[in-house]
């Protein structure tokens, strides 16, 4: 369902605001962005975040625009400049969570809760289980909030805790003291607080507040409570009402208790402002049609565009070579299941979330004799199995309503299962089938919130760092075990998207992609020469010596291909982050320093190998013409398929960034502005200028004419499978090359032709003109691997 909007976007441009690129910098970029051809500037989170934040998702104060970004005055000035150039603003909204304690009193709601406990007027803001931790001395039956922030066990850091009047301090952290406890001896003082300071390692097993995935210092907010929604959104809603903000991107809706309810509330409060949701869709999953928004932020489009430009058969052969080389036949699907299962085990990062769900179930069973007598081990095993095997990020069950058919299918369970068993009980509770009570409703909502955390952490933050056959496939929402997409499937998805979500965003690169679009374009070529790449990979390993881990060797070599030329320190940091996320040989919480030193030395040794780096550079040159074709094809598809293209900062030229924080650095937009005026002669043979020209040409086309109905266009001839073409209404035709290495090996386009509708057509990219009829593709794509044809008149 499409929402209304005062100024519907034709295209947006994402800017990552941070201390190194503020609202003032964004204002200076407006003339360039207008000249580029977008209609909206897409801003990362705007509210006051933790000091020094480079991403803005760690909000500490919902009542003001970030001072380190320039404050509300700077935002208003940016909006005024944007409006003068015909542009409008989309803001990133973070409804799910905010930051835990940072220097004193920045997070006022949490500060009050820490001071006053469950009696605080802000207690309803946070999703805290007050029964899970022993209460303060003298407060039987009322628990405390666990704060796992200490660097060691409490007894080892007592001398690092100090009392300053009514504030308890630990390094950079500050905590309020419960009134009347200021003069107690330290051990007694600690026992009387509404919070329990604890060693950070206790978080996975004893945490009693909901958080963002497994990040302890991002505490979840109960935005489903009307007063919390109003308080956390008041500034953004006011700025929207005053015309400063025009639309919203909603971060992580899967974490919310009721995503549909939240979106309805937001739509009511804004009169149906343009809103997109960062919803991760898995496989053939579709966005719920009753969500009042314009659609997703575009990872589903990224997967289809990458897929249609990837050789399925070659990728399958490459996967076989990878499994043979690393001596591990684990499939991508099996790696994903294993990653999910590890998270919910007794020592997993989400064990505390599992325990909280079990406490709810046991209270439900205690209240109803008909549900009693389930053994705790049976409940735990059944719950872990459900969380591990749930095939998408979450079910969308609303207590009191019939469960959606998709949720019933995903939670159906095996035929013949014991109807009175623990597994059946949990499935029925998750589907809301056992009637209503506060506890049953809570389980239904919390189960859905937990499945999304298990999916995100177990798959994209674990398995996708372990399974390295073709790392360009390992993006959010991806399925690396099913690489590639046929043109027919691509066309079907585009048609469905146009029918159901015509104003959804489409993306190729974001602040969360592990590899930017152009880096993935290089990696896609490897699927077309799988045997050659496997041999090259083995040769590089022979030249560098045995790698400490074979799967990591594939990650290393493919990362070098994706981002070459890359400097040593940048590569070391990316590889170390990847192996820590993989959690096989080392991890963030249990680092193996010896392994990390050995791996770091191995990576650095590559740069000191006199023969290896030139060979890597030479292989990159071999890939270059085919990677160029993939980059330009992906860019054209991104800008012309149904939806609203969202460009990531700097991606209008080739961008070879890797996982964050590598992909979040400020971009020199001034230099890009200079190149907008390049002549055709200057663009020839220069991929950066070619991509910039393609981008601005397509964006201006979108701003000057509405793209019409989507229709596939087929080619005829020996190389027809290498052409992807579609019309957008009667007067626009997009044409792109796919699988360019295979095309070259087959001898090029030969007699392949495209049936061009009658009339006179101009390629907006080259200004070459054509008459309707059977047009030789070799002529059409003589200069570029893509074409954007418009009918004259």
């Amino acid at each position: 369902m499409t929402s209304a909007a005062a100024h519907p976007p034709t295209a947006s441009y994402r800017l990552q605001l941070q201390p190194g690129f503020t609202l003032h910098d964004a204002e200076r970029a407006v003339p360039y962005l207008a000249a580029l051809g977008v209609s909206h500037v897409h801003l990362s989170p705007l509210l006051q975040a933790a000091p020094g934040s480079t991403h803005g998702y760690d909000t500490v104060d919902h009542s003001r625009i970030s001072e380190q970004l320039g404050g509300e005055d700077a935002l208003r000035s940016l909006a005024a400049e944007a409006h003068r150039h015909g542009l409008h603003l989309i803001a990133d909204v973070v409804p799910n969570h905010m930051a835990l304690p940072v220097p004193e009193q920045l997070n006022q709601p949490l500060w009050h809760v820490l001071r006053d406990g469950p009696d605080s007027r802000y207690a309803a803001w946070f999703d805290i289980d007050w029964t899970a931790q022993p209460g303060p001395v003298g407060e039987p039956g009322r628990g405390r909030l666990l704060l796992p922030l200490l660097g060691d066990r409490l007894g080892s850091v007592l001398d690092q805790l100090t009392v300053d009047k009514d504030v308890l301090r630990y390094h950079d952290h500050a905590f309020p003291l419960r009134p009347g406890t200021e003069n107690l001896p330290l051990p007694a003082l600690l026992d009387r607080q509404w919070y329990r300071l604890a060693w950070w390692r206790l978080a996975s097993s004893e945490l009693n507040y909901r958080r963002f995935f497994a990040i302890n210092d991002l505490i979840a907010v109960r935005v489903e409570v009307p007063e919390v929604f109003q308080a956390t959104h008041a500034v953004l809603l006011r700025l929207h009402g005053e015309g400063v903000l025009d639309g919203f991107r909603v971060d992580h809706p899967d974490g919310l208790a009721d995503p549909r309810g939240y979106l309805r509330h937001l739509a009511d409060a804004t009169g149906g402002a343009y809103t997109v949701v960062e919803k991760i869709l898995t496989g053939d999953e579709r966005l719920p049609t009753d969500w009042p928004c314009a659609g997703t932020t575009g990872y589903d489009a990224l997967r289809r565009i990458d897929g249609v430009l990837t050789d399925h058969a070659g990728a399958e052969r490459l996967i076989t070579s990878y499994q043979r080389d690393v001596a591990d036949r684990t499939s991508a699907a099996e790696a994903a299941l294993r990653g999910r299962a590890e998270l919910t085990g007794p020592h997993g990062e989400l064990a505390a979330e599992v325990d909280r769900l079990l406490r709810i179930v046991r209270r439900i069973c205690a209240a109803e004799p008909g549900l009693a007598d389930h053994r705790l081990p049976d409940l735990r095993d059944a719950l872990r199995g459900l969380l591990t095997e749930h095939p998408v990020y979450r079910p969308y069950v609303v207590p009191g309503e019939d469960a959606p058919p998709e949720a019933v299918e995903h939670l159906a369970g095996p035929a013949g299962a014991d109807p009175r068993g623990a597994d059946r009980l949990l499935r029925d509770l998750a589907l809301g089938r056992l009637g209503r009570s506060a506890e049953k409703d809570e389980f239904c909502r919390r189960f859905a919130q937990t499945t999304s955390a298990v999916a995100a952490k177990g798959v994209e933050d674990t398995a996708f760092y372990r399974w390295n056959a073709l790392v360009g496939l390992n993006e959010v929402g991806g399925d690396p075990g099913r690489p590639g997409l046929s043109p027919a499937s691509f066309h079907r998805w585009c048609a469905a998207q146009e029918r159901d979500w015509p104003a959804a965003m489409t993306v190729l690169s974001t602040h969360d992609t592990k590899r930017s679009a152009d880096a993935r374009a290089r990696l896609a070529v490897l699927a077309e020469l799988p045997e050659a790449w496997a041999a090259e990979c083995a040769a590089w390993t022979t030249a560098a010596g045995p790698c400490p881990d074979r799967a990591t060797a594939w990650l290393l070599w493919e990362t070098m291909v994706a981002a070459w030329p890359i400097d040593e320190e940048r590569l070391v940091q990316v590889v170390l982050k990847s192996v820590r996320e993989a959690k096989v040989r080392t991890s963030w919480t249990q680092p193996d320093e010896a392994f990390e030193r050995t791996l770091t030395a191995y990576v650095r040794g590559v740069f000191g190998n006199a023969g290896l780096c030139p060979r890597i550079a030479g292989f990159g040159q071999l890939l270059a013409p085919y990677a160029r074709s993939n980059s330009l094809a992906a860019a054209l598809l991104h800008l012309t398929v149904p939806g609203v293209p969202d460009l990531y900062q700097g991606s209008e030229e080739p961008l070879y960034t890797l996982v964050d924080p590598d992909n979040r650095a400020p971009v020199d937009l001034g230099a890009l502005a200079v190149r907008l005026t390049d002549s055709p002669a200057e663009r020839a043979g220069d991929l950066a200028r070619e991509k910039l020209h393609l981008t601005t040409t397509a964006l201006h086309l979108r701003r000057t004419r509405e793209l019409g109905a989507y229709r596939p266009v087929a080619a005829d001839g020996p190389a027809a499978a290498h052409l992807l073409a579609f019309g957008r209404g009667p007067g626009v035709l997009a044409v792109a090359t796919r699988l360019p290495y295979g095309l070259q090996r087959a001898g090029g386009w030969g007699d392949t032709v495209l049936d061009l509708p009658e009339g006179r057509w101009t390629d907006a990219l080259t200004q070459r003109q054509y008459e309707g009829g059977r047009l030789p593709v070799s002529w059409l794509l003589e200069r570029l691997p893509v074409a954007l044809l418009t009918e004259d008149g």
Side-chain angles (χ1 to χ4, degrees):
M1 111 180 243
T2 304
S3 64
H7 305 95
T10 61
S12 56
Y13 191 99
R14 167 89 176 198
L15 292 175
Q16 285 299 112
L17 302 172
Q18 54 181 288
F21 189 93
T22 67
L23 291 162
H24 301 294
D25 298 301
E27 181 177 343
R28 286 189 285 272
V30 164
Y32 163 67
L33 298 179
L36 186 66
V38 299
S39 65
H40 285 61
V41 182
H42 176 187
L43 303 171
S44 61
L46 292 168
L47 298 178
Q48 185 67 47
S53 175
T54 59
H55 51 77
Y57 291 100
D58 45 356
T59 308
V60 294
D61 187 350
H62 290 89
S63 68
R64 59 194 172 116
I65 301 300
S66 172
E67 296 299 332
Q68 67 182 3
L69 299 180
E72 185 169 323
D73 287 345
L75 177 61
R76 289 181 176 278
S77 183
L78 165 61
E81 177 70 359
H83 294 166
R84 280 193 290 272
H85 286 79
L87 306 185
H88 300 275
L89 305 183
I90 294 172
D92 203 336
V93 184
V94 190
N96 179 68
H97 53 268
M98 61 191 302
L100 265 174
V102 289
E104 194 168 345
Q105 298 195 38
L106 283 180
N107 186 334
Q108 281 289 334
L110 187 57
W111 186 267
H112 281 270
V113 170
L114 295 179
R115 188 189 66 194
D116 301 333
D119 298 323
S120 168
R121 68 180 187 272
Y122 292 106
W125 275 54
F126 304 103
D127 202 347
I128 300 168
D129 182 357
W130 292 101
T131 69
Q133 290 288 328
V137 172
E139 296 285 346
R142 300 214 291 174
R144 299 194 284 178
L145 172 64
L146 183 78
L147 294 181
L149 301 170
L150 302 180
D152 204 340
R153 293 176 175 85
L154 178 61
S156 301
V157 299
L158 275 175
D159 60 345
Q160 299 170 36
L161 297 169
T162 60
V163 175
D164 178 10
K165 298 181 181 177
D166 59 353
V167 174
L168 176 66
R169 300 191 184 279
Y170 173 71
H171 297 293
D172 292 337
H173 290 292
F175 313 93
L177 292 177
R178 186 176 180 181
T181 65
E182 301 89 343
N183 297 318
L184 293 174
L186 187 59
L189 179 150
L190 293 174
D191 285 342
R192 291 297 309 278
Q193 304 310 314
W194 287 111
Y195 50 87
R196 175 190 164 200
L197 292 180
W199 188 26
W200 65 270
R201 287 190 180 276
L202 297 185
S204 62
S205 58
E206 299 187 34
L207 202 71
N208 63 333
Y209 60 86
R210 188 168 59 86
R211 54 188 165 163
F212 176 67
F213 297 152
I215 302 177
N216 300 334
D217 54 4
L218 292 177
I219 186 169
V221 176
R222 297 184 62 217
V223 74
E224 67 272 16
V225 177
E227 67 183 75
V228 178
F229 175 92
Q230 186 58 41
T232 55
H233 289 65
V235 169
L236 298 176
L237 294 177
R238 172 173 58 81
L239 291 169
H240 173 266
E242 295 172 3
V244 175
L245 300 176
D246 201 62
F248 300 100
R249 171 207 185 263
V250 176
D251 180 67
H252 186 45
D254 281 330
L256 303 180
D258 180 10
R260 184 191 65 184
Y262 169 81
L263 290 170
R264 286 178 174 175
H265 202 166
L266 184 63
D268 289 343
T270 62
Y274 179 79
T275 301
V276 290
V277 291
E278 190 212 16
K279 174 70 192 88
I280 311 304
L281 300 171
T282 302
D284 296 325
E285 181 187 16
R286 300 287 292 173
L287 190 67
T289 56
D290 58 356
W291 283 18
C293 65
T296 74
T297 56
Y299 286 110
D300 44 335
L302 180 155
R303 182 155 49 97
R304 269 70 179 202
I305 293 171
D306 276 9
V308 80
L309 300 177
T310 299
D311 185 337
H312 168 75
E316 291 279 10
R317 298 202 304 274
L318 186 55
I319 289 169
T320 300
S321 295
Y322 167 79
Q323 292 172 322
R324 182 171 56 246
D325 186 65
V326 302
D328 185 353
R329 296 290 178 176
T330 300
S331 69
E334 290 167 340
L337 283 174
R338 186 176 299 170
R340 289 171 179 252
E342 289 174 6
L343 285 170
T344 59
H347 303 294
E349 291 180 76
L350 297 178
E353 281 73 10
V354 173
D355 285 345
R356 186 165 181 182
L357 283 168
L358 290 172
R359 289 196 296 272
I360 299 170
V361 174
R362 300 193 79 183
R363 290 197 293 268
I364 292 171
C365 292
E368 295 193 25
L371 302 178
D373 295 337
H374 286 283
R375 296 187 330 126
L376 181 59
D378 294 340
L379 289 170
R380 186 182 300 278
D381 289 346
L383 180 56
R384 288 190 61 205
L386 286 184
L387 293 171
T388 297
E389 295 165 10
H390 197 262
V392 296
Y393 269 57
R394 64 171 283 167
Y396 296 99
V397 181
V398 177
E401 298 183 10
D402 290 340
E406 296 84 0
V408 175
E409 178 185 350
H410 295 153
L411 288 165
D418 182 357
R420 293 166 302 194
D423 183 78
R424 185 72 267 164
L425 168 67
L426 295 176
R427 292 179 192 272
D428 286 343
L429 286 173
L431 289 169
R433 287 176 163 173
L434 298 181
R436 300 286 304 279
S437 72
E439 298 281 11
K440 291 176 181 176
D441 289 357
E442 182 184 2
F443 180 89
C444 183
R445 290 189 294 264
R446 185 171 300 284
F447 176 82
Q449 292 170 306
T450 306
T451 61
S452 70
V454 171
K457 291 299 297 179
V459 181
E460 65 188 71
D461 285 350
T462 301
F464 282 5
Y465 288 99
R466 294 178 176 178
W467 203 81
N468 298 321
L470 186 58
V471 295
L473 302 173
N474 297 359
E475 286 297 341
V476 176
D479 185 355
R482 297 196 301 171
L485 187 72
S486 70
S489 297
F490 178 83
H491 289 313
R492 284 195 295 272
W493 180 83
C494 288
Q497 196 72 352
E498 180 179 54
R499 180 188 67 236
D500 299 332
W501 303 102
M505 276 185 175
T506 63
V507 298
L508 286 181
S509 299
T510 77
H511 59 293
D512 280 333
T513 44
K514 292 178 173 61
R515 294 154 196 94
S516 60
D518 299 297
R520 300 195 309 274
R522 288 177 172 176
L523 293 170
V525 183
L526 302 182
E528 293 198 71
L529 38 89
E531 289 79 18
W533 169 240
E536 196 70 19
C537 198
W540 295 1
T541 302
T542 299
C547 182
D549 179 73
R550 290 296 304 141
T552 302
W554 280 69
L555 168 75
L556 170 62
W557 304 135
E558 290 190 13
T559 301
M560 297 190 80
V561 167
W564 189 265
I566 182 171
D567 69 67
E568 182 178 318
E569 192 58 36
R570 183 178 166 218
L571 183 61
V572 165
Q573 294 307 314
V574 167
V575 171
L576 284 179
K577 172 168 182 169
S578 298
V579 295
R580 289 167 182 164
E581 294 284 2
K583 296 177 278 289
V584 176
R585 299 289 301 275
T586 187
S587 69
W588 295 105
T589 57
Q590 293 183 312
D592 183 331
E593 295 180 0
F595 170 75
E596 291 190 6
R597 283 195 299 270
T598 302
L599 182 60
T600 299
Y602 185 83
V603 175
R604 295 193 189 282
V606 171
F607 290 89
N609 190 313
L612 184 52
C613 282
R615 180 163 183 167
I616 294 173
F619 189 77
Q621 290 174 351
L622 169 69
L623 299 181
Y626 315 110
R628 165 184 174 259
S629 180
N630 285 340
S631 284
L632 295 176
L636 180 68
L637 298 181
H638 177 212
L639 296 165
T640 55
V641 297
V644 175
D646 182 47
L647 281 76
Y648 189 59
Q649 58 181 25
S651 66
E652 60 270 43
E653 288 195 346
L655 188 66
Y656 300 102
T657 54
L658 303 168
V659 68
D660 68 273
D662 186 76
N663 58 6
R664 297 184 181 182
V667 174
D668 185 358
L669 298 179
L672 288 168
V674 171
R675 291 194 285 274
L676 270 183
T677 60
D678 287 345
S679 67
E682 291 174 302
R683 290 194 295 269
D686 183 332
L687 176 58
R689 287 169 166 82
E690 289 173 342
K691 189 180 181 188
L692 180 61
H693 174 61
L694 184 159
T695 301
T696 191
T697 300
L699 290 174
H700 279 281
L701 176 66
R702 296 182 66 94
R703 292 210 71 176
T704 55
R705 64 190 297 172
E706 183 175 351
L707 298 185
Y710 183 92
R711 59 183 178 87
V713 176
D716 294 317
H722 291 276
L723 195 75
L724 186 72
F726 52 85
R728 295 304 313 274
V732 176
L733 191 66
V735 182
T737 303
R738 60 184 297 269
L739 312 186
Y741 181 79
L743 174 66
Q744 182 267 335
R745 290 196 66 185
W749 293 111
D751 296 330
T752 306
V753 296
L754 185 70
D755 283 325
L756 199 60
E758 292 301 320
R760 191 170 182 83
W761 296 78
T762 299
D763 182 356
L765 303 178
T766 63
Q767 296 306 306
R768 295 177 71 176
Q769 295 185 321
Y770 307 93
E771 294 292 337
R774 291 176 67 79
L775 177 65
V777 175
S778 60
W779 186 18
L780 174 64
L781 301 185
E782 182 180 22
R783 297 184 185 176
L784 292 172
V786 295
L788 181 57
L789 299 170
T790 59
E791 187 175 12
D792 294 356

